Amino acid sequence: MKVVLAGAGNVANHLGPALQKSGHDILQVIGRSESLVKSLAKKLRTSHGCTFNDIRTDADAIILMVRDDSVKEYARLIPSGEFTIMHTSGAVSAGVFENKFANYGVLYPVQTFSKTEKVKMNDVPFCIEGSNKTSLNKIRKLISPVSEKIYQINEDDRKFIHISAVFASNFSNHMYTIADTLLKSRKINFEILKPLISQTAEKIKHISPKKAQTGPASRGDSGTVSNHLKWLKGQDEFREIYALLSKSIQNLNGPVL
Amino acid sequence: MKVVLAGAGNVANHLGPALQKSGHDILQVIGRSESLVKSLAKKLRTSHGCTFNDIRTDADAIILMVRDDSVKEYARLIPSGEFTIMHTSGAVSAGVFENKFANYGVLYPVQTFSKTEKVKMNDVPFCIEGSNKTSLNKIRKLISPVSEKIYQINEDDRKFIHISAVFASNFSNHMYTIADTLLKSRKINFEILKPLISQTAEKIKHISPKKAQTGPASRGDSGTVSNHLKWLKGQDEFREIYALLSKSIQNLNGPVL
């Protein structure tokens, strides 16, 4: 399939090479940031462009991989055509395409992408939507050589999967950042927490996260919870988070007294 | 070394077998819950007792593995002797032992233990403290056949490691529980988030969590953040957590605008 990548950020840098490796023909990388676009085009040995006038409308598929806030604007800039256009956002409606394009949809990967970190693309779940049978089939055909985990999902469910992914990934990672920040304040290496972090993520493969919960809040160790809050004095934001999440653990799991 | 396990919960069920496997002689399992104590003693083919009068004071080491709130009380119930006594809590002072025992300390494993989940014990970091050289050496000798990751750490640092572990593990796991709860409310299987959770925990082995951060808050996608808050209407607790953590991500990482 002839594919145009519109965007050259983290998603494009993982999805682009995976699509090429699985046999698709990457016609072009298009985007605003010349340095990012050039770098990805070079990696894929393909051409690039920085204005939407240059876009190859003879493509079979155009994949818009830009910030959620920019999807609408980019959709306006891309000329209409026979191709199927899709975005990769978890939160943006497919409706942003409907007034201009006949064939459109969504290709949302439920994964976190950082530039330098490898991702097993065949393990990534992809949520797909299509404006009609043609576009749905095309999106499925586009992604099926990359991953077998394809979920045809409606817009409302996708949005909830996205919110859940923010909790499970972005907020979990922020908990690691807070831990790192606290350890740094005492010159302790973050290394000491790595086995714990691995084990926490590993456990939920076999038991529900509710069953996997440990720690003072879930044990009902109220003395430790209040000591922790005392020791966090002067770190108001972390204290507020600690108090709110401890309360929430007790609300959801109930203290095991 | 002759060891008494005082407690038969999650920590004892992982540490006990690891100590036995590495050559120590588990003299006894002592604790209040007869069923838990019996079950662990059976697993270790050793004797058990439910009152502290029965405790074998001819042991080299007594390891108190009970809820933080109970350490003090249990220390009061155990008769004094020549052995080295230690607790495994991250948050409790070693000072709970000082009026009664000459040789005491702390053996704090930086790990989350659930009964059914296997843990690579040789990968677990142990923070140790001792009231004197004798007890410190004994605690080191006790644990060194189990794990090579032994950190001699002072009380204040241990407390901060414990708070950090609560963020990195207990609170991260709670984020998984919230995600699971949200997905369940729409009958979506939690399975869809597992590759994402693995990858999130995997990333921080190579890059700092601050660099690994992705998602709408860190991208400065304020439209998506406010949409998510809108879609969480009626889930007041989750909304509050979402808002607080998004703000905190922006405070710590700064929005990449």
Side-chain angles (χ1 to χ4, degrees):
Chain A
M1 212 178 278
K2 290 178 289 178
V3 182
V4 168
L5 308 177
N10 289 340
V11 176
N13 268 278
H14 284 88
L15 192 53
L19 288 167
Q20 188 174 63
K21 212 176 155 187
S22 68
H24 293 300
D25 178 15
I26 310 297
L27 287 187
Q28 246 184 350
V29 182
I30 289 276
R32 274 177 179 163
S33 159
E34 200 182 345
S35 62
L36 288 179
V37 163
K38 265 189 171 169
S39 145
L40 179 57
K42 197 179 162 192
K43 191 155 87 178
L44 299 174
R45 295 163 194 249
T46 187
S47 62
H48 71 276
C50 293
T51 77
F52 289 92
N53 300 328
D54 306 330
I55 210 163
R56 290 272 301 261
T57 51
D58 59 331
D60 297 301
I62 296 181
I63 313 176
L64 197 47
M65 293 164 285
V66 296
R67 268 179 42 179
D68 298 356
D69 285 3
S70 309
V71 175
K72 212 170 180 168
E73 188 201 345
Y74 278 61
R76 207 173 37 79
L77 293 171
I78 295 172
S80 58
E82 291 300 303
F83 51 80
T84 295
I85 186 164
M86 69 205 76
H87 68 66
T88 55
S89 164
V92 175
S93 170
V96 290
F97 296 122
E98 76 181 332
N99 289 326
K100 190 169 175 183
F101 302 95
N103 302 311
Y104 60 84
V106 177
L107 174 69
Y108 162 54
V110 187
Q111 188 49 283
T112 169
F113 297 105
S114 292
K115 208 151 276 178
T116 57
E117 289 303 296
K118 278 196 181 159
V119 172
K120 289 182 207 152
M121 292 298 289
N122 61 351
D123 196 37
V124 175
F126 283 89
C127 297
I128 64 171
E129 287 166 46
S131 58
N132 52 38
K133 262 196 175 166
T134 311
S135 50
L136 188 65
N137 285 339
K138 202 171 262 179
I139 294 171
R140 191 185 295 276
K141 220 172 131 185
L142 176 73
I143 201 62
S144 57
V146 172
S147 171
E148 281 173 16
K149 294 185 178 171
I150 300 170
Y151 296 77
Q152 186 187 335
I153 262 169
N154 67 46
E155 184 155 310
D156 281 350
D157 282 350
R158 169 168 53 89
K159 287 174 177 175
F160 261 82
I161 292 171
H162 190 235
I163 295 177
S164 304
V166 168
F167 278 95
S169 172
N170 306 148
F171 291 166
S172 284
N173 185 76
H174 187 55
M175 297 300 112
Y176 309 156
T177 308
I178 292 175
D180 189 22
T181 307
L182 288 169
L183 291 179
K184 270 206 179 80
S185 76
R186 303 195 71 91
K187 299 191 168 51
I188 302 165
N189 197 313
F190 183 61
E191 207 59 39
I192 201 168
L193 293 184
K194 289 184 179 175
L196 172 66
I197 289 172
S198 294
Q199 178 70 6
T200 306
E202 193 61 30
K203 273 161 98 172
I204 56 89
K205 289 184 185 165
H206 321 113
I207 55 174
S208 75
K210 209 169 165 179
K211 273 198 183 153
Q213 188 67 54
T214 59
S218 71
R219 276 198 308 274
D221 250 333
S222 57
T224 296
V225 170
S226 61
N227 278 335
H228 281 176
L229 289 170
K230 205 169 66 192
W231 297 331
L232 283 173
K233 209 177 166 177
Q235 308 260 28
D236 289 348
E237 189 176 282
F238 298 164
R239 265 171 68 105
E240 195 184 346
I241 292 170
Y242 189 105
L244 183 61
L245 296 184
S246 293
K247 198 184 68 181
S248 175
I249 287 174
Q250 297 192 325
N251 287 346
L252 266 185
N253 292 53
V256 186
L257 287 170
Chain B
M1 212 176 280
K2 288 178 290 177
V3 181
V4 168
L5 308 177
N10 290 339
V11 176
N13 268 278
H14 284 88
L15 192 53
L19 289 167
Q20 188 174 65
K21 213 176 153 186
S22 69
H24 294 299
D25 178 14
I26 309 297
L27 287 188
Q28 248 184 348
V29 182
I30 289 275
R32 274 178 180 162
S33 159
E34 202 183 343
S35 62
L36 289 179
V37 163
K38 266 191 172 170
S39 143
L40 179 57
K42 196 179 162 191
K43 192 155 87 177
L44 299 173
R45 296 164 193 247
T46 188
S47 61
H48 71 277
C50 293
T51 79
F52 289 93
N53 300 328
D54 307 330
I55 208 162
R56 291 272 303 262
T57 51
D58 59 330
D60 298 301
I62 296 180
I63 314 175
L64 197 45
M65 293 165 283
V66 296
R67 270 179 42 179
D68 298 356
D69 285 5
S70 308
V71 175
K72 212 170 180 169
E73 188 200 346
Y74 278 60
R76 207 172 40 79
L77 294 170
I78 294 172
S80 57
E82 291 301 301
F83 51 79
T84 295
I85 186 164
M86 68 205 78
H87 68 66
T88 55
S89 165
V92 176
S93 169
V96 290
F97 298 121
E98 76 182 334
N99 290 326
K100 187 170 179 183
F101 303 94
N103 302 312
Y104 60 84
V106 177
L107 174 69
Y108 163 53
V110 188
Q111 188 50 282
T112 169
F113 297 105
S114 292
K115 208 151 277 180
T116 57
E117 290 303 296
K118 279 197 179 158
V119 171
K120 289 182 206 154
M121 293 297 290
N122 61 352
D123 196 37
V124 175
F126 283 89
C127 296
I128 64 172
E129 285 166 49
S131 58
N132 51 39
K133 261 196 177 166
T134 312
S135 50
L136 189 63
N137 285 340
K138 202 170 262 177
I139 294 172
R140 192 187 294 278
K141 220 172 130 185
L142 176 74
I143 201 63
S144 56
V146 172
S147 171
E148 283 173 16
K149 296 186 176 169
I150 300 171
Y151 297 77
Q152 188 188 333
I153 262 170
N154 67 46
E155 184 156 311
D156 281 351
D157 282 350
R158 169 168 52 87
K159 288 175 177 175
F160 261 81
I161 292 171
H162 190 235
I163 296 178
S164 303
V166 168
F167 278 96
S169 170
N170 306 147
F171 291 166
S172 284
N173 186 77
H174 187 54
M175 298 300 113
Y176 309 157
T177 308
I178 293 176
D180 188 22
T181 307
L182 288 169
L183 290 180
K184 269 204 180 82
S185 76
R186 303 196 70 93
K187 300 189 167 54
I188 301 166
N189 197 315
F190 183 60
E191 207 58 39
I192 201 168
L193 293 184
K194 289 185 178 174
L196 172 66
I197 288 172
S198 295
Q199 177 71 7
T200 306
E202 194 60 31
K203 273 161 95 171
I204 56 89
K205 290 184 184 165
H206 321 113
I207 56 174
S208 74
K210 209 169 164 178
K211 271 198 182 152
Q213 189 66 55
T214 58
S218 72
R219 276 198 308 273
D221 251 332
S222 56
T224 296
V225 170
S226 60
N227 279 334
H228 281 174
L229 289 170
K230 204 170 65 192
W231 297 330
L232 283 171
K233 209 176 166 179
Q235 308 260 26
D236 289 348
E237 188 175 284
F238 297 164
R239 265 171 68 105
E240 196 183 345
I241 293 171
Y242 189 105
L244 183 62
L245 295 184
S246 293
K247 198 184 70 183
S248 176
I249 287 174
Q250 297 190 326
N251 288 346
L252 267 186
N253 292 53
V256 186
L257 285 172

